[in-house]
Structure formats: C-alpha cells, structure tokens
Amino acid sequence: MWQLSSGIEGFAQAGSQAPNATADVAADAFQAMRLNASPGARRRALRHWMSACVTVMAIVVSLWPLAEAQAAPPATSNGPVTAAQIPPHLPFYIARKANNRTVYILGTMHAAMPADYPPNLPFRPAILDALKHASLLAFELSPDDLVVSQNDVTRYGVCPNACLSKQLPDALWKRLQWRLRDNPEALDEIQKMRPWLAALLIETYDSLASGLQTEYGTEAQLENIYAKYPIVGLETLNDQMRAFTNLRPAEQWEMLAQDLAQTPQQNAADMRQLHALWREGDADKLAAWSAARSQRLAQTPDLSNALDEKVLYRRNRHFARRIADLSLPDKPLFVAVGVLHLGGPRGVLAKLRENGFTVQPG
C-alpha cells in the first residue's frame, strides 16, 4: 500500500519518449474518470491522479490527452445536509505550539469513493473551518512539482530495454509472470521497469480492483475547495524518488515479494479494510493495522523492517521537521499527508509531539 495510502506521490508528463501503453492498461488507469468538469478541475484531477498512480503514469504517460479530457468531480459545500450526506470522520488533528502556532493535519487517501465526500458537505465542519482559516496548505508534494519531464520518469524507474527479469531472483520473476499470466500486455510493459516500480504497478492494479477511485483522492477534493495559493510541498520529487531508488536490490525484491504474497483479491480486500479504517478516523488504529499487515506479509523480516524505515519512517521524520519549519505565529497551517504517515510511535504526530507540539484530535 505504498502509494495510495502512505502517500507516494508521482510524476509524469506527455512526450515523445513515453512508453507505449496498451488499451487494457489505459482502461485500468482511467477507469473512474468523468467527463463533466471544467478544464481547471480536469487539470487538478490529473495532477492528483498522478500522485495516486505513479506506476500507472510511468506506463500510460503518453495518454495525457485522454487524461485531459477526463474530470474529477469537484467537492462543494453548499446546500442542506441530509442524514445520508454526513461526511466520514477521517483522521484530523490539531497541533499547537508556543507563540500561537497552529497546524491542522488531515490524513489522506489518494484513492477513495464518491460517498466519502457528500456533495453538500464534502468534509466535517471542523475540517472545512480549518481549511478556511489556514494561511497555507501543504501536501506531500507541491502540485507544481508533480509534473516533470518524461526523461525523469525514464531515469528513475524505466529501463531502455527489458531488464526486470535480469534484476530479480528467478523464483520471484516466475511468481510475477504467473501473476500477470492473463495480461501479456502488462507483463511486456513491466519488463522495462526496475523492481521497485514493478512492485508499485502490481499494487496499483490490486488497489484499483478494490473499487477505490483515484479521482476521489483527498488532495484533489481539498484543492477543489482551497482558493488560496500557493500550495507547498513537504518534500520534493527528488526526495520522494530517492526513497525508492536508494533501496538495495534485496529490499526492492522484498517490496515486490510482499505484493505477490497474497492473491489480488486478498490485496483488494486489505485496501477496502484500510479505507474503512480511514473513514473511522483513528490514526493510531490505522498505524497498528498497517504494522500488523507488514509483519504478516514480510518475507524476510530484516528486509521488511529496512523497507519500512526507508520508505515510511524516514519520511515521517522529514515531514515533521518540515511542518515545524512551516508553522508560523498567527498563521495557521493546513497539512494533508498520506494517512499511514500519521499514527503510531514513529508517525508524524508522535514526531511533532517530540518537537514540542501538543496534538489533539480535531
């Protein structure tokens, strides 16, 4: 669940060097898009579709014109609210420190469901009020940092020729071949990826199969509401990609092996459970669930722990430092970060407490 829940935001741009995408892969990538929004809403949706599906974008980047024709349903906050339109609780916290420094923190999902954002009240009043009063909005990546050249996509995770089978142990490669046995086009494309990117692609397929839809990612909905600029990033694209490119080969193998440890149906069921817990809004409960899942799927415990440290916990510490730096007296900061970054003893909330903030549910 590296990209849709723990906040792996992606990058891509159309260009002549983009890998060819098949019709089947395109259908998977754009399955939930809509046609009835303004060009601005479409552009915002596309940026957050990228953030949710870095791996799909690495394959279907050449389909940018198709993506521009699609839409993310904008969230609004007008009109009466019925009992069936009450928004979910969601993990929302308020951190405060001396000199009247306030940080509102919302745990996000990069893919969710239409019912998560009722049209007349897309978020709880406390969240909407915080967003209204915030002087600055921060995502993991600034929207301006999400779109980079196709050369960077290739440099980070795509080989000029088929390379994956040479970079994996034979047994793991055979497991991957078996998983994609009914999708030869995807198998052909994945052979051009490095192991960490291949792992994210497998997870993306299973996540989309859970029924979650990337145009209902939380960041896209927040950006539809937030009328101020700029929106800043807690890390840069290079920071984020280094979390993967600096993984040792054995750690990348562990990442892929965990994605193949269960059936696609089991992985999709896990994503649905994560989504349900996210709606409940308890970051520590979510962190405990994620830690238990990681332990259950670990193929080599030491490698799994190292993977969690490099992809999740190290970034948590960076996020907390960046949040502390961005918080200013009398200028409330609103932070939206992948939900699995927040809770537990090594999460962002705990690190903010270590920095002198008091943190309470919002």
Side-chain angles (χ1 to χ4, degrees):
M1 305 195 172
W2 303 107
Q3 82 283 12
L4 294 187
S5 52
S6 60
I8 303 303
E9 295 197 86
F11 57 93
Q13 184 173 352
S16 59
Q17 299 177 3
N20 291 329
T22 67
D24 286 344
V25 174
D28 284 337
F30 297 104
Q31 64 169 341
M33 296 293 189
R34 299 292 185 268
L35 298 171
N36 57 346
S38 67
R42 290 198 295 267
R43 285 191 292 271
R44 291 193 296 271
L46 178 60
R47 286 201 297 267
H48 293 290
W49 176 83
M50 291 179 207
S51 77
C53 295
V54 54
T55 54
V56 175
M57 280 303 296
I59 298 174
V60 302
V61 64
S62 61
L63 296 177
W64 185 280
L66 175 60
E68 278 288 286
Q70 312 302 309
T76 62
S77 57
N78 299 317
V81 179
T82 67
Q85 294 176 313
I86 297 175
H89 192 76
L90 303 188
F92 178 61
Y93 296 83
I94 302 175
R96 292 186 173 91
K97 198 175 180 179
N99 299 322
N100 202 27
R101 288 195 282 174
T102 301
V103 182
Y104 304 110
I105 306 164
L106 179 65
T108 70
M109 289 277 288
H110 299 319
M113 301 289 286
D116 295 327
Y117 312 101
N120 294 320
L121 191 69
F123 296 98
R124 286 193 288 126
I127 297 173
L128 290 174
D129 188 63
L131 196 62
K132 177 181 177 180
H133 288 94
S135 298
L136 187 65
L137 175 61
F139 293 160
E140 289 169 36
L141 288 181
S142 163
D144 293 337
D145 204 16
L146 282 174
V147 181
V148 299
S149 72
Q150 177 59 30
N151 287 336
D152 284 335
V153 177
T154 302
R155 177 164 58 91
Y156 282 122
V158 180
C159 305
N161 302 300
C163 63
L164 185 58
S165 62
K166 301 173 184 177
Q167 296 184 11
L168 294 179
D170 187 61
L172 186 56
W173 169 244
K174 289 179 178 177
R175 287 171 62 189
L176 180 59
Q177 285 182 302
W178 177 253
R179 171 63 69 89
L180 296 177
R181 63 192 181 279
D182 296 326
N183 195 339
E185 294 88 354
L187 181 61
D188 180 64
E189 291 293 347
I190 208 170
Q191 291 188 63
K192 302 170 187 174
M193 297 179 182
R194 305 192 190 282
W196 65 267
L197 193 57
L200 290 178
L201 178 62
I202 294 299
E203 183 181 332
T204 297
Y205 279 132
D206 294 347
S207 297
L208 291 176
S210 72
L212 301 182
Q213 302 175 24
T214 56
E215 83 259 39
Y216 292 101
T218 315
E219 290 84 357
Q221 304 302 325
L222 289 171
E223 195 175 354
N224 281 330
I225 298 171
Y226 189 74
K228 308 170 191 175
Y229 287 94
I231 300 173
V232 302
L234 297 180
E235 63 184 349
T236 67
L237 181 67
N238 287 335
D239 292 336
Q240 194 170 94
M241 290 302 100
R242 276 197 297 269
F244 294 102
T245 58
N246 288 345
L247 292 174
R248 294 182 293 122
E251 293 164 348
Q252 296 186 46
W253 301 342
E254 173 70 18
M255 187 176 176
L256 179 58
Q258 288 186 21
D259 285 331
L260 298 174
Q262 300 187 130
T263 67
Q265 294 77 18
Q266 289 171 321
N267 285 340
D270 280 352
M271 184 56 74
R272 287 190 290 269
Q273 186 175 6
L274 172 66
H275 174 254
L277 290 171
W278 170 72
R279 285 177 57 91
E280 291 180 16
D282 187 330
D284 288 329
K285 187 176 181 179
L286 279 154
W289 176 88
S290 179
R293 182 180 188 271
S294 180
Q295 185 177 17
R296 172 166 52 87
L297 296 182
Q299 307 298 292
T300 304
D302 287 346
L303 290 175
S304 181
N305 292 337
L307 189 60
D308 287 342
E309 166 61 24
K310 292 181 178 180
V311 176
L312 187 62
Y313 300 132
R314 185 177 296 173
R315 293 173 66 222
N316 290 351
R317 296 191 292 272
H318 172 79
F319 288 164
R321 290 192 297 269
R322 174 72 167 149
I323 291 168
D325 290 342
L326 288 172
S327 66
L328 298 173
D330 301 310
K331 293 186 177 181
L333 170 67
F334 193 109
V335 173
V337 65
V339 68
L340 293 184
H341 285 291
L342 292 188
R346 302 172 73 178
V348 169
L349 301 181
K351 297 305 171 185
L352 286 175
R353 291 186 180 103
E354 293 176 7
N355 192 277
F357 284 86
T358 61
V359 181
Q360 300 293 334

